[in-house]
Amino acid sequence: MKSDYIQTTTCQERRKDPIEMFHSGQLVKICAPMVRYSKLSFRTLVRKYDCDLCYTPMIVAADFVRSAKARDSEFTTNQGDCPLIVQFAANDARLLSDAARIVCPYANGIDINCGCPQRWALAEGYGACLINKPELVRDMVKQVRNQVENPRFSVSIKIRIHDDLTRTVDLCRKAEATGVSWITVHGRTVEERHQPVHYEAIKIIKESMSIPIVANGDIRSLKEAENVWHTTGTDGKK
């Protein structure tokens, strides 16, 4: 987080609550976190094409907190880079809340990655393994809520689905009760990679929840986003 970027991050859009977008009744177009791609220059480009909300690439919270070099490398922003969600990989509530406090002045919220299926992430206790650890997800969300003073600062999660969808619905309900702002659902299991996305599963999750649900997976065009929006009834697409 270089100082020349930090000094220019005051933005009217920072005051805009992404939750208000989800309750607008309109399709919310979201740029998903993509490894190596979703950095400032890419976010600046997609915003010119009416992207409503952007995510950073996934950042390992522990490294971000402990290393100034990691912060400078992994997170840069500017005045026009908003609204913005910073996605973290985390397995420790204290470290995640410390990371959230660092980015709070420069972003609209954080997202906890509970969906990454990469082997290194699973081995470190990050990503998709967290869908089987609802108590840890609860603790991380609560810790961020307790440590970040801004009540408009969002805390969301991104998940994959279980083979038994009732487990996913149960996870989402527990997350909602903990105070999660919204949930992004990638409509594949941890083991699935290129198989068709289970949009019907996302629809069932949406129908079971009160908070906004964002659909994710194989959405490559605005037309596909509109089709998935109508199919699933969700609040956003990325």
Side-chain angles (χ1 to χ4, degrees), residues 41 77 84 129 175 177 194 210 220 227:
S41 57
T77 187
L84 176 66
C129 68
H194 305 293
S210 299
R220 303 182 183 91
N227 289 340

Side-chain angles (χ1 to χ4, degrees), residues 3 12 17 20 41 43 52-53 92 95 113 119 133 140 142 187 190 200-201 205 212 222 230-232 238:
S3 60
Q12 290 296 323
D17 187 349
E20 295 175 3
S41 57
R43 298 194 301 266
D52 298 309
L53 180 64
D92 182 283
L95 286 172
N113 188 313
R119 290 181 182 176
K133 300 178 180 179
M140 290 194 290
K142 282 187 175 181
V190 178
E200 185 62 30
I205 293 168
L222 181 58
H230 291 300
T231 298
T232 62
K238 71 177 183 180

Side-chain angles (χ1 to χ4, degrees), residues 115-139:
C116 178
Q118 296 184 64
R119 290 181 182 176
W120 74 266
L122 299 178
E124 294 290 335
Y126 302 141
C129 68
L130 293 175
I131 65 173
N132 298 315
K133 300 178 180 179
E135 293 79 13
L136 177 55
V137 174
R138 177 199 63 200
D139 291 345

Side-chain angles (χ1 to χ4, degrees), residues 8-65:
T8 60
T9 54
T10 301
C11 174
Q12 290 296 323
E13 292 296 321
R14 288 269 189 257
R15 303 174 188 174
K16 188 174 183 179
D17 187 349
I19 293 293
E20 295 175 3
M21 297 186 204
F22 292 129
H23 290 303
S24 68
Q26 303 298 314
L27 172 64
V28 180
K29 301 178 289 295
I30 304 170
C31 180
M34 294 177 286
V35 177
R36 294 186 298 275
Y37 284 93
S38 305
K39 295 198 173 185
L40 178 60
S41 57
F42 186 81
R43 298 194 301 266
T44 300
L45 177 64
V46 298
R47 291 185 193 280
K48 293 181 179 179
Y49 292 89
D50 297 325
C51 182
D52 298 309
L53 180 64
C54 288
Y55 281 60
T56 69
M58 182 180 71
I59 300 170
V60 176
D63 296 339
F64 190 79
V65 169

Side-chain angles (χ1 to χ4, degrees), residues 1 6 91 124 147 163 175 177:
M1 301 195 316
I6 292 175
N91 59 14
E124 294 290 335
Q147 294 297 319
D163 290 316

Side-chain angles (χ1 to χ4, degrees), residues 7-213:
Q7 290 169 1
T8 60
T9 54
T10 301
C11 174
Q12 290 296 323
E13 292 296 321
R14 288 269 189 257
R15 303 174 188 174
K16 188 174 183 179
D17 187 349
I19 293 293
E20 295 175 3
M21 297 186 204
F22 292 129
H23 290 303
S24 68
Q26 303 298 314
L27 172 64
V28 180
K29 301 178 289 295
I30 304 170
C31 180
M34 294 177 286
V35 177
R36 294 186 298 275
Y37 284 93
S38 305
K39 295 198 173 185
L40 178 60
S41 57
F42 186 81
R43 298 194 301 266
T44 300
L45 177 64
V46 298
R47 291 185 193 280
K48 293 181 179 179
Y49 292 89
D50 297 325
C51 182
D52 298 309
L53 180 64
C54 288
Y55 281 60
T56 69
M58 182 180 71
I59 300 170
V60 176
D63 296 339
F64 190 79
V65 169
R66 294 167 179 162
S67 168
K69 182 178 180 180
R71 292 192 290 275
D72 288 343
S73 171
E74 298 297 328
F75 182 67
T76 54
T77 187
N78 62 22
Q79 185 174 2
D81 187 30
C82 46
L84 176 66
I85 304 299
V86 181
Q87 187 184 76
F88 285 112
N91 59 14
D92 182 283
R94 182 185 60 81
L95 286 172
L96 178 64
S97 65
D98 288 345
R101 284 193 298 160
I102 293 171
V103 301
C104 179
Y106 317 112
N108 295 81
I110 67 154
D111 183 76
I112 306 171
N113 188 313
C114 305
C116 178
Q118 296 184 64
R119 290 181 182 176
W120 74 266
L122 299 178
E124 294 290 335
Y126 302 141
C129 68
L130 293 175
I131 65 173
N132 298 315
K133 300 178 180 179
E135 293 79 13
L136 177 55
V137 174
R138 177 199 63 200
D139 291 345
M140 290 194 290
V141 173
K142 282 187 175 181
Q143 185 83 343
V144 174
R145 288 289 187 209
N146 290 337
Q147 294 297 319
V148 176
E149 296 181 356
N150 181 359
R152 293 168 65 92
F153 192 76
S154 66
V155 183
S156 57
I157 63 174
K158 180 179 180 179
I159 66 171
R160 284 191 172 228
I161 61 174
H162 299 84
D163 290 316
D164 179 0
L165 194 61
T166 60
R167 293 182 61 197
T168 313
V169 172
D170 182 63
L171 169 68
C172 292
R173 285 174 173 165
K174 288 178 178 177
E176 179 177 18
T178 301
V180 161
S181 305
W182 69 83
I183 299 173
T184 298
V185 181
H186 182 92
R188 292 186 176 98
T189 67
V190 178
E191 293 76 22
E192 292 177 324
R193 294 294 186 272
H194 305 293
Q195 292 88 340
V197 177
H198 303 287
Y199 292 121
E200 185 62 30
I202 300 177
K203 180 180 180 181
I204 291 171
I205 293 168
K206 169 59 184 174
E207 292 172 347
S208 304
M209 306 299 294
S210 299
I211 58 174
I213 300 296

